[in-house]
Amino acid sequence: MVKRYLAILLLLCMFGSIMYVYAEDNADSGSGNTNNALQGKGYYRSAEYMYKVSVYVGLRDSVDMDNDIGDFKMIGNNPIFIKPKSFSLPSGLITSSHNKFKYRIGAGLSSVSFDSVTYIEDAPPPIPITNGGNIDAVKSYFGDVNTLNMMLNAFADQKGTTREGLISNIQFTINNKTDYYPPEDILPVKINGQYQNKVAWLIVYEPVIITYTKPNSSGYRQPIAFTATEYALSQKLGYFNWFWGSTGQYVAGMTHSDLPNSIVLEESWVGVPVTSPLKDGVHWSDDRIIRGGGIGMRMLEASGVDVIPNDTTYDYTYRVNTDVITSVMVQAASGDITPDTRHKEKDTRKSAYTNPSNGKAYVTITANGQSTTMPVVIPNGDSQYAFLKWRTPSQPCEVTINVNISGNSSARLQEGGRSTSFKVKIEGLAENAPPDPRPTDKMPNFEIPSMPYEADKMTATWGIYSAVWDADYRWHENWKKYHSGCYTKTRADGSTKRVHRYKWVDEGWWEDYGQWDYTYTRYTASIQADMELKPDAYNPTAKEKYGEYTIASGYGVDIKVDAGITTNAPSSHYTTAQNVVTYFPEFHYNNYWRLLDKTGGRTFEFKENPYSTFNSRTHFTPLPYPDGAYKVYSKVIDCWTPDGMLRVNLNDGVTIEGSVYDDWHVAPDLP
């Protein structure tokens, strides 16, 4: 068996974006300011995420993702957590000790102090959707054998043993022989460039968000680190109401939509069913989340033959010849980031300066020879995006993006440093056009497929801080006595005396006790798109009734996609939709696709078809396609903002009735 890394995660939010916040949700930026917006409600922070991870080893060399989880052995006592180094765990944090597999077979929701669990501090990529993560980076991180080895070391520490000790007391069946095998035959060890594990390893990871509950009678907010499954269980059991109302926590947009949507399975693995994501704003039921929401898996298959290690993490994936926006989150970690270096007092008689600060910070981002330096001002504890709008290369490749912060020392990237670099993948998007349909084509046992579903991202939100000085001058009194002259005074007896005159002068000064007044300019963007599929203009027998079209198979269909963006942001903050990819039911929405041409400001159509007599912008339906719905599926992509890529999935169709042969009658000439 060839060993390979397999991922079964659905790409829901392909590129970086910060948390999509529901109107009813309380999502704090991370400042810790529980102002009036948070009073009487729970909240969560976009920077405080983790992953709960379980690792399993196959008990036989034939075991893979098609087997049940019972054919694997869990390593360690309980799942471990992987958290970023960029935030500190809150005091009193609680969690639960099981994973989705245990909950699915009836394990109860426990209350465990986070002090008693095993966790690793590393640099796991952000969670897609809830934390602006990129699914490719998540897949690569958990598919990297270095990550697996790091977790094995943590599980060994958890059990008070070594990596070898984790599997030394487990019997494995290899080549039909059940025995205790040397650790080097089981562990993912590389010898002479090949991994030696003779059984499969399965990594199961579930994204975790920390929520702070509404204050109790003493004003205490309980921090809770739950997976999507645990939020659903606690709601179902009546422990918490994550929704709204007098008992609500006001965070259901995260707990019951974004978090279960963030990572799901594309295929059923080890008994966990495929549970398709739902659209933005649609809440999952508790049972649906427990069944399959918020879980991802990676597998290192058995047999170290022809291994290609997946050691490269791509933080973003872009298309060639595309305008994109790469953004990083910048925070004011240890004081205000201000427009000026310092503010001078009004009265120049006092030489000192008041209200000193370090002034602006400058974020320089460079990619593919293109660069920007963006000045930022941010109040202490808050954050905003800095970003670069740039054009990708014309050929597939790998690009390194460099980020550096200068100026105000308070400015930090979300991970805590002042510089970073990361790799992005530039992939081709060449049209993989279907072959020329022929009269001899066959479609045996063909059934019209279900329409695919991928989550839309139709809105984005971001903002920029500015600041002006709000002066507050106060007078400091400083009275001094000055000699103002003298005069001669004659006494009653005729003698004289010298008399000195004095006056009191207030030599105080003005001192400015003002502060910077920050304004957050909020930008939003939304994508609008519509698609129409119609019979080709050269189809003489197409029928239309109430906007619905019926055609015979073998004729062509034309497409028009209208895609635009509505935003209050300047043009440097966004791009319009640049690519539309269309898939067809005869290929089960796979294998072949057409990349549409942009034929107008907002309009996309098929490229001219080389198999068309008239060079029409058309797609020919297959002659043997059965009567029924013929629906085309399109993905509108590459509409970029600092809050990630907007995308929308569309479909439209016609009805097939009969074939082109029905429109022709050939008969012999009559005498």
Side-chain angles (χ1 to χ4, degrees):
M1 181 188 300
V2 175
K3 183 185 295 185
R4 64 192 189 277
Y5 293 99
L6 298 175
I8 54 170
L9 300 106
L10 187 63
L11 184 55
L12 301 176
C13 179
M14 292 178 64
F15 309 104
S17 67
I18 200 168
M19 182 186 308
Y20 178 90
V21 180
Y22 286 79
E24 302 92 343
D25 259 19
N26 252 337
D28 180 40
S29 66
S31 67
N33 175 23
T34 54
N35 53 29
N36 290 334
L38 303 178
Q39 292 301 320
K41 302 175 183 179
Y43 71 97
Y44 53 96
R45 293 170 174 161
S46 60
E48 296 185 352
Y49 66 90
M50 295 183 283
Y51 293 88
K52 179 185 276 192
V53 184
S54 306
V55 173
Y56 293 81
V57 60
L59 296 176
R60 303 187 306 276
D61 55 0
S62 60
V63 167
D64 61 16
M65 69 289 297
D66 295 324
N67 291 84
D68 189 82
I69 194 64
D71 294 316
F72 290 79
K73 174 73 172 178
M74 182 175 174
I75 297 298
N77 300 322
N78 293 298
I80 62 173
F81 291 76
I82 302 180
K83 71 170 287 290
K85 300 176 182 177
S86 56
F87 73 93
S88 299
L89 293 171
S91 175
L93 180 65
I94 62 172
T95 185
S96 188
S97 57
H98 302 302
N99 62 17
K100 184 182 284 287
F101 290 106
K102 297 290 182 68
Y103 294 127
R104 278 168 47 87
I105 61 174
L109 192 66
S110 58
S111 177
V112 177
S113 169
F114 209 87
D115 293 337
S116 65
V117 306
T118 301
Y119 70 89
I120 304 169
E121 284 198 336
D122 194 42
I127 300 168
I129 300 180
T130 59
N131 301 81
N134 170 16
I135 194 68
D136 287 335
V138 176
K139 289 158 61 175
S140 186
Y141 179 81
F142 286 103
D144 188 344
V145 176
N146 293 328
T147 303
L148 174 57
N149 284 323
M150 176 185 70
M151 291 186 289
L152 289 176
N153 291 336
F155 281 114
D157 291 341
Q158 184 189 69
K159 293 197 72 171
T161 184
T162 62
R163 286 158 41 91
E164 293 74 14
L166 287 172
I167 46 89
S168 61
N169 294 321
I170 303 174
Q171 285 190 325
F172 297 91
T173 301
I174 300 173
N175 294 326
N176 295 318
K177 180 184 177 182
T178 303
D179 204 346
Y180 297 99
Y181 283 84
E184 57 266 28
D185 287 350
I186 306 300
L187 293 169
V189 177
K190 183 185 282 188
I191 299 177
N192 296 325
Q194 300 296 329
Y195 289 107
Q196 304 301 304
N197 56 295
K198 292 181 170 59
V199 293
W201 287 86
L202 176 69
I203 302 173
V204 180
Y205 53 96
E206 301 174 71
V208 172
I209 298 290
I210 297 176
T211 296
Y212 297 78
T213 64
K214 62 198 303 183
N216 61 17
S217 58
S218 302
Y220 175 70
R221 293 179 179 271
Q222 175 64 58
I224 298 174
F226 273 178
T227 64
T229 303
E230 290 159 346
Y231 281 117
L233 269 172
S234 60
Q235 178 79 27
K236 183 176 181 179
L237 296 171
Y239 297 155
F240 292 96
N241 173 14
W242 302 112
F243 287 75
W244 310 288
S246 60
T247 64
Q249 299 290 338
Y250 286 80
V251 292
M254 179 272 289
T255 63
H256 282 68
S257 183
D258 281 353
L259 191 56
N261 263 341
S262 64
I263 300 175
V264 298
L265 303 184
E266 281 184 325
E267 302 169 5
S268 176
W269 271 21
V270 295
V272 178
V274 173
T275 310
S276 300
L278 300 179
K279 293 183 178 180
D280 286 346
V282 177
H283 295 100
W284 293 47
S285 69
D286 296 329
D287 288 338
R288 182 184 176 90
I289 296 174
I290 296 166
R291 186 165 63 249
I295 185 172
M297 302 183 198
R298 294 302 302 259
M299 181 171 284
L300 177 64
E301 287 190 6
S303 300
V305 180
D306 297 329
V307 172
I308 302 175
N310 180 10
D311 293 334
T312 300
T313 296
Y314 293 109
D315 293 81
Y316 297 89
T317 300
Y318 301 124
R319 261 68 57 197
V320 296
N321 280 329
T322 304
D323 291 325
V324 298
I325 292 176
T326 300
S327 57
V328 293
M329 185 63 71
V330 180
Q331 59 183 342
S334 58
D336 289 344
I337 304 174
T338 63
D340 297 331
T341 54
R342 48 188 175 178
H343 195 82
K344 195 175 181 180
E345 61 168 10
K346 183 178 181 180
D347 195 316
T348 58
R349 288 179 295 173
K350 189 171 186 293
S351 60
Y353 289 95
T354 59
N355 300 294
S357 69
N358 291 323
K360 291 180 182 177
Y362 299 88
V363 184
T364 301
I365 307 174
T366 303
N368 193 39
Q370 300 159 72
S371 181
T372 187
T373 297
M374 181 176 176
V376 294
V377 297
I378 306 172
N380 183 37
D382 279 332
S383 58
Q384 72 165 62
Y385 282 122
F387 52 89
L388 168 68
K389 183 176 181 180
W390 59 288
R391 184 80 175 174
T392 61
S394 59
Q395 297 295 324
C397 62
E398 183 182 273
V399 171
T400 298
I401 295 180
N402 295 303
V403 182
N404 289 284
I405 299 178
S406 59
N408 194 309
S409 60
S410 174
R412 291 285 187 272
L413 296 170
Q414 196 168 26
E415 297 78 16
R418 283 172 63 87
S419 64
T420 189
S421 63
F422 50 88
K423 297 176 181 178
V424 299
K425 182 181 181 182
I426 311 299
E427 64 180 13
L429 194 59
E431 180 176 68
N432 189 19
D436 182 19
R438 299 183 179 278
T440 55
D441 288 346
K442 305 292 183 184
M443 300 178 70
N445 304 317
F446 178 81
E447 294 183 3
I448 297 175
S450 299
M451 184 64 57
Y453 179 76
E454 296 182 67
D456 301 329
K457 178 178 171 61
M458 301 185 67
T459 59
T461 303
W462 69 100
I464 300 294
Y465 275 106
S466 59
V468 296
W469 183 257
D470 183 11
D472 179 14
Y473 289 104
R474 303 178 191 178
W475 180 255
H476 291 266
E477 290 186 340
N478 185 23
W479 290 94
K480 288 189 176 180
K481 184 178 179 182
Y482 284 92
H483 186 270
S484 61
C486 56
Y487 64 93
T488 301
K489 182 177 181 181
T490 303
R491 299 185 179 94
D493 60 1
S495 62
T496 61
K497 70 173 183 176
R498 193 82 165 165
V499 177
H500 296 271
R501 289 185 298 187
Y502 297 91
K503 67 178 179 178
W504 289 91
V505 177
D506 186 357
E507 290 193 346
W509 67 91
W510 290 98
E511 189 166 348
D512 190 351
Y513 288 85
Q515 60 183 2
W516 291 104
D517 185 7
Y518 287 87
T519 300
Y520 185 74
T521 302
R522 181 184 178 88
Y523 296 110
T524 61
S526 61
I527 187 171
Q528 302 88 36
D530 185 55
M531 168 179 162
E532 183 181 28
L533 194 74
K534 297 174 62 175
D536 184 62
Y538 293 97
N539 184 336
T541 60
K543 294 176 286 187
E544 185 266 337
K545 185 176 182 180
Y546 304 122
E548 302 292 330
Y549 295 95
T550 300
I551 68 170
S553 65
Y555 284 111
V557 289
D558 299 348
I559 195 172
K560 279 195 176 180
V561 173
D562 179 84
I565 185 173
T566 299
T567 181
N568 63 335
S571 60
S572 59
H573 286 221
Y574 67 91
T575 72
T576 57
Q578 298 166 83
N579 288 304
V580 180
V581 187
T582 301
Y583 298 84
F584 304 96
E586 63 265 38
F587 305 111
H588 294 273
Y589 304 108
N590 208 340
N591 298 328
Y592 297 102
W593 62 86
R594 292 191 186 277
L595 180 64
L596 303 192
D597 263 348
K598 193 169 189 178
T599 57
R602 298 168 46 119
T603 305
F604 295 81
E605 300 179 79
F606 288 132
K607 297 179 187 296
E608 293 181 353
N609 193 325
Y611 305 120
S612 167
T613 304
F614 307 100
N615 291 323
S616 296
R617 294 182 178 274
T618 195
H619 171 79
F620 290 111
T621 60
L623 191 63
Y625 195 90
D627 287 357
Y630 183 88
K631 289 191 173 182
V632 171
Y633 176 73
S634 293
K635 299 192 291 189
V636 182
I637 57 175
D638 289 324
C639 179
W640 286 94
T641 74
D643 190 22
M645 186 185 76
L646 300 180
R647 57 174 293 151
V648 62
N649 304 287
L650 306 169
N651 69 81
D652 194 22
V654 298
T655 299
I656 299 290
E657 191 175 281
S659 76
V660 67
Y661 287 147
D662 298 329
D663 295 341
W664 298 89
H665 177 69
V666 178
D669 291 336
L670 297 176

